[in-house]
Each structure stands twice: as structure tokens, then as C-alpha cells.
């Protein structure tokens, strides 16, 4: 089997977002958790998304894990590797987008790498190198208050230049609008000047299709699901992949259902408020989580007797001011890690109590949960909201399970009930 596309995602929700996009574009796709073993038997697929938890870890570790994933993918005959980053370019001046891109570029010998987080379906567009989230520049969007990587600069040429050892260029929208040949020429010109990567503007899906055609001729690209869309459509339109019907529809799983929220995004806070109308919601006390295991135990004691009546939601999510106060007392990373691990412990307890349908909000939170449940991979099912599919766990010790891993900013106000309706 020849894999048409290999992807390395820097978090698990981002990976399922990408796997969803590729599936909808007609690529048979599997999402794998962590760098797979050499002898992993793959089903017949066109694309593999290797999910790492490398967005917020130390840059050197992110580089070594991404390199290991790239080696595995190239060893399976993959020609093009997409490094999947967040559509809001989540990163700090220390990385990890720049360092990982530099390392993968050095490994494959790419000239100039095309980079875009544009994903118009979810309101992420890039113009003159500036990222917009809906109608506002990134630095004015809720991402300015992100608990782990507050985004204060919308100009991605500058943002990436601070993280990368290569110079960063721009391929502007006017060039993209002139078509693939114009993009090829601009990229060749940048590469000839020794520029190792370029932010490329994209506002509409048709821009991503143009970008995908050019990117697919190269060895490496960096982007969010929009780049995946462009690559997938290019692979189909050039006949390299025969499109398959989208969305695995397996048998119903049944079992108890629960939701966990560790994302503090505005979208998730609104979704939790809406869920309060239809299910019991427990708000965790972050101070007590950092203090020890009793808060996670309290959550499980609260949930167990309620589960038979219907789904429950357990949330650590808080407003930016409350998050800032916790971080000031305990440190950003220590607070985040303690809360993620508490959520993972709660997920484990819920599965022991019979939960087989689990919805998790937040990328880091999802990473901690999926690792704790030791789920090796997922088949992609129907789409709940843009960027969020139903996932069927494969090879999990708990047996059949459905999950939804929601990126913090994704989904409409009724996301939790929308998900439960589709997770049978
Ligand atoms: N009340 C809280 N106070 C401080 N930190 C919190 C609180 N609740 C959650 N956190 C931490 O905030 C971080 C949220 O990151 P996470 O990736 O889960 O969500 P997100 O960034 O909104 O989602 P995504 O990465 O998908 O966009 C986690 O490290 C989590 O543990
Ligand atoms: O690209 C996005 O916005 C998401 O897939 C994601 O990575 C958020 O964590």
C-alpha cells in the first residue's frame, strides 16, 4: 500500500480535525496516537495522521518526537509530510512551530516550505501574512488570553521568524489569486534567495486548492486543516488518490456518556453554559486540584450515581481572570499540568464506571485523557461540527468506545448536545 499523505499533528484535537478534513475530501484516513511501532499493521488507507502532544512541551522534545514521526512516515513511502499546527498558530517565541519546521525541513532537504494556518470554514484567514480569527486580527481575538500561549502578534511572518533559524518570506494573496504557476515562481524566487519558509495568504477554499497543488509537489508543508484540504483536493484532482465515501459508520456502541472540559476558550465557556440546561454540570475547583487528588475523587463520587440517568459534564474551565489568578499562584505550566492530569484521572474513573461515549474539550486536555486511556488510534466517523468528528477508538483495552475531541475554539453553543446526538 502506498500512503499518499503523511501528517504529524502537534495535538490530538488538531489531529482529529485534520483527519476529519481529509476524510471529507475523500482520503481514507486513520489517526494514530503517538509515533507508531515499526511493525504496526495499517488498514488500507490513503493518509495517516500521527498525533503528538508536542505543542506546549519543550522545543527539543517536540523536535525529536516530530522527527521520529517523520522517519516512520517516510519509511512507509510517504512523499509529502504535512506538519499540522493550530489554525490560531498557537506557539511562543521558543516554539514549537519554528524549531519543528526547521528540523523536518533539514531532514528532507526542502527548499522553501509553504506555511499557512488558514482554515476559512472556521473563520481563520491570512492576508498579507496577518492571521484573522473571524473579523478580528489574532492579537485582538480571544487567543490573546490563551492559558498556555497568549497570542499578541497577528503578523505571522514576524511570529515565525522569532521561532525559526531561517528567514521567513511571504506569498501574498495577489500571487495566490494568479494561480499555481505564480505561486511556484514566487516560491522558487524565495528559495533562490535562501529564504527557508514562507507564510502564504489564503482567504477562500479556492486559495487553499491552489496552494495544495503546489505544496503536493514538495516534500513538506506546515499548516492547519485548510492546508490539509488543499493537499487532499490536489491528490484527488491529479488522480493520485481515488476518492472514497467519507465517514466510517460502525455499529452503535451504547453505554454511558460523559463530557469533560479543560478548555478555557470563550467558545467552550459558552458551550458549558448551554449544557447546564440539559445535563448536570460539576465545576471543579482548580485550587483543590492543584492541592491533591481529592478533587478528582470528589468529581467521580459526584458523577457515578448520576451516570445511569444520562450524560454529565465535568469542567475545570474558567474565565481569563480566574485562570490568571491560578497561574499567578502556581505557575502556568504547573497549574495546567495538574489540571490535565486530574482530568485524565477522572476520565479513567468514568471509563471504569462504564462510560463508553466520551466528549473532551481542549487539545491539551484531550491529549492527557487519550494517553491515560491508552487508546492507540481512531477511525474517523461523521462530523459533529466543523473540525470535530466522531472518533471510534481502535485497539483500546476498554473495548468499543466513541470519543469526540473538541478543539477549544470549535463547535457551536450546543456542541455537547450536538455531539451526544451523533454518538450512539
Ligand atoms: N481553571 C483553570 N485555571 C488554569 N488553567 C486551567 C484551568 N482549566 C484548565 N486549565 C488548563 O488550561 C489549558 C487548556 O488547554 P487545552 O489545550 O486543553 O484547551 P484549549 O487551548 O482551549 O484547546 P485547543 O488547544 O484545542 O485550542 C490546559 O493546560 C488546562 O489544564
Ligand atoms: O487548527 C485548529 O484550530 C485545531 O485543529 C487545533 O489544533 C486546536 O487545538
Amino acid at each position: 500500500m502506498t500512503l499518499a499523505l503523511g501528517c504529524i499533528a502537534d495535538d490530538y484535537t488538531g489531529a482529529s480535525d485534520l483527519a476529519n478534513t481529509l476524510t471529507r475530501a475523500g482520503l481514507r484516513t486513520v489517526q494514530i496516537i503517538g509515533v507508531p511501532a515499526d511493525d504496526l499493521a495499517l488498514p488500507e488507507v490513503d493518509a495517516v495522521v500521527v498525533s503528538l502532544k508536542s505543542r506546549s512541551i519543550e522545543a527539543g522534545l517536540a523536535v525529536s518526537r516530530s522527527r521520529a514521526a517523520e522517519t516512520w512516515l517516510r519509511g512507509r513511502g510517504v512523499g509529502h509530510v504535512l506538519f499540522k499546527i493550530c489554525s490560531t498558530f498557537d506557539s511562543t517565541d521558543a516554539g514549537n512551530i519554528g524549531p519543528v519546521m526547521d528540523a523536518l525541513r533539514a531532514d528532507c532537504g526542502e527548499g522553501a516550505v509553504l506555511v499557512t494556518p488558514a482554515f476559512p470554514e472556521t473563520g481563520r484567514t491570512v492576508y498579507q501574512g496577518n492571521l484573522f480569527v473571524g473579523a478580528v486580527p489574532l492579537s485582538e481575538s480571544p487567543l490573546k488570553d490563551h492559558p498556555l500561549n497568549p497570542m499578541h502578534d497577528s503578523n505571522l511572518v514576524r511570529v515565525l521568524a522569532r521561532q525559526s533559524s531561517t528567514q521567513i518570506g511571504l506569498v501574498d494573496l495577489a500571487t495566490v489569486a494568479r494561480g499555481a504557476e505564480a505561486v511556484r515562481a514566487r516560491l522558487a524566487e524565495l528559495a533562490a534567495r535562501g529564504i527557508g519558509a514562507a507564510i502564504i495568504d489564503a482567504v477562500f477554499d479556492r486559495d487553499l486548492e491552489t496552494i495544495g497543488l503546489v505544496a503536493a509537489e514538495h516534500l513538506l508543508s506546515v499548516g492547519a486543516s485548510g492546508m490539509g484540504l488543499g493537499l487532499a483536493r490536489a491528490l484527488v484532482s491529479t488522480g493520485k488518490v481515488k476518492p472514497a465515501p467519507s465517514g466510517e459508520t460502525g455499529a452503535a456502541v451504547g453505554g454511558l456518556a460523559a463530557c469533560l472540559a479543560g478548555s478555557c476558550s470563550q467558545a467552550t465557556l459558552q458551550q458549558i453554559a448551554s449544557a447546564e440546561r440539559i445535563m448536570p454540570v460539576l465545576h471543579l475547583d482548580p485550587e483543590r486540584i492543584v492541592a491533591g487528588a481529592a478533587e478528582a475523587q470528589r468529581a467521580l463520587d459526584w458523577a457515578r450515581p448520576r451516570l445511569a440517568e444520562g450524560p454529565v459534564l465535568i469542567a475545570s474551565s474558567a474565565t481569563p481572570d480566574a485562570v490568571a489568578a491560578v497561574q499567578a499562584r502556581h505557575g502556568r505550566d504547573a497549574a495546567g499540568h495538574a489540571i490535565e492530569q486530574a482530568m485524565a484521572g477522572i476520565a479513567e474513573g468514568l471509563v471504569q464506571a462504564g462510560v463508553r461515549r466520551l466528549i473532551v474539550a481542549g487539545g491539551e486536555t484531550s491529549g492527557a485523557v487519550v494517553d491515560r486511556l491508552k487508546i492507540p488510534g481512531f477511525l474517523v466517523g461523521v462530523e459533529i461540527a466543523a473540525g470535530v468528528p466522531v472518533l471510534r477508538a481502535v485497539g483500546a483495552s476498554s473495548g468499543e468506545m466513541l470519543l469526540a475531541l473538541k478543539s477549544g475554539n470549535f463547535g457551536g453553543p450546543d456542541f455537547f448536545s450536538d455531539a451526544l446526538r451523533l454518538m450512539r
Side-chain angles (χ1 to χ4, degrees):
M1 176 194 31
T2 312
L3 282 176
L5 182 64
C7 308
I8 304 169
D10 68 354
D11 84 345
Y12 296 5
T13 51
S16 62
D17 164 21
L18 175 62
N20 177 54
T21 299
L22 300 179
T23 302
R24 281 173 59 207
L27 270 54
R28 293 164 304 168
T29 305
V30 67
Q31 177 180 352
I32 295 174
I33 302 300
V35 181
D38 284 342
D39 59 353
L40 177 80
L42 277 180
E44 193 65 28
V45 287
D46 305 303
V48 171
V49 182
V50 176
S51 326
L52 301 181
K53 198 169 180 288
S54 57
R55 187 175 291 174
S56 306
I57 60 176
E58 192 265 314
L61 262 181
V63 165
S64 58
R65 289 183 190 160
S66 306
R67 273 192 151 137
E70 189 203 20
T71 303
W72 187 90
L73 289 166
R74 303 256 186 228
R76 295 284 169 132
V78 162
H80 185 90
V81 169
L82 165 62
F83 171 38
K84 159 70 174 70
I85 56 163
C86 189
S87 65
T88 46
F89 220 75
D90 291 20
S91 53
T92 67
D93 287 354
N96 289 340
I97 298 173
V100 172
M101 176 187 79
D102 290 351
L104 299 182
R105 173 172 170 256
D107 287 351
C108 69
E110 182 66 80
V113 181
L114 285 173
V115 181
T116 189
F119 189 20
E121 193 181 342
T122 55
R124 276 54 153 171
T125 56
V126 180
Y127 181 63
Q128 297 295 350
N130 291 279
L131 175 58
F132 290 81
V133 177
V136 294
L138 175 67
S139 59
E140 293 170 31
S141 78
L143 273 298
K144 70 183 186 321
D145 299 315
H146 190 280
L148 303 178
N149 45 257
M151 303 303 288
H152 296 304
D153 188 355
S154 307
N155 184 312
L156 301 183
V157 176
R158 275 196 309 250
V159 173
L160 190 54
R162 286 195 291 269
Q163 301 176 22
S164 168
S165 58
T166 182
Q167 270 180 280
I168 309 299
L170 173 69
V171 183
D172 67 7
L173 193 63
T175 307
V176 176
R178 287 204 300 279
E181 203 41 58
V183 173
R184 272 184 207 108
R186 171 72 177 152
L187 202 58
E189 176 203 329
L190 292 173
R193 283 165 41 202
I195 293 175
I199 301 293
I200 183 160
D201 286 350
V203 173
F204 299 107
D205 282 1
R206 66 167 178 270
D207 303 326
L208 294 162
E209 287 171 3
T210 302
I211 294 168
L213 279 171
V214 181
E217 296 159 3
H218 288 253
L219 296 165
L220 178 68
S221 58
V222 177
S225 274
M227 182 65 100
L229 177 90
L231 284 164
R233 290 199 179 157
L235 291 168
V236 170
S237 70
T238 55
K240 294 193 177 107
V241 168
K242 193 169 152 301
S246 74
E248 173 274 349
T249 48
V253 162
L256 305 175
C259 313
L260 294 174
S263 163
C264 300
S265 70
Q266 275 186 13
T268 303
L269 293 175
Q270 201 185 357
Q271 289 156 357
I272 295 168
S274 168
E276 306 247 18
R277 294 199 298 269
I278 55 159
M279 68 180 93
V281 176
L282 177 70
H283 293 273
L284 298 171
D285 178 343
E287 284 298 331
R288 293 188 56 188
I289 293 179
V290 178
E295 185 67 350
Q297 191 54 53
R298 179 176 79 95
L300 285 171
D301 293 343
W302 172 88
R304 277 193 202 101
R306 289 175 170 81
L307 283 167
E309 305 298 318
V312 300
L313 167 59
I314 299 171
S316 70
S317 319
T319 58
D321 287 349
V323 170
V326 172
Q327 292 182 338
R329 278 191 291 276
H330 304 284
R332 184 195 72 172
D333 292 346
H337 181 75
I339 295 170
E340 288 162 30
Q341 288 311 307
M343 288 304 219
I346 294 169
E348 190 174 34
L350 291 172
V351 170
Q352 280 160 6
V355 167
R356 293 292 174 270
R357 293 174 293 144
L358 183 64
I359 300 164
V360 190
E364 297 296 323
T365 310
S366 297
V369 165
V370 169
D371 282 352
R372 184 68 67 91
L373 298 179
K374 297 193 170 63
I375 298 173
F378 296 108
L379 293 173
V380 181
V382 294
E383 185 179 62
I384 303 163
V388 197
V390 174
L391 297 173
R392 182 175 294 267
V394 284
S397 55
S398 56
E400 287 276 276
M401 233 188 125
L402 296 181
L403 284 94
L405 308 178
K406 187 193 83 76
S407 295
N409 295 299
F410 285 2
D414 296 325
F415 175 80
F416 290 108
S417 56
D418 294 345
L420 288 163
R421 212 176 19 257
L422 291 170
M423 295 167 71
R424 296 269 160 213

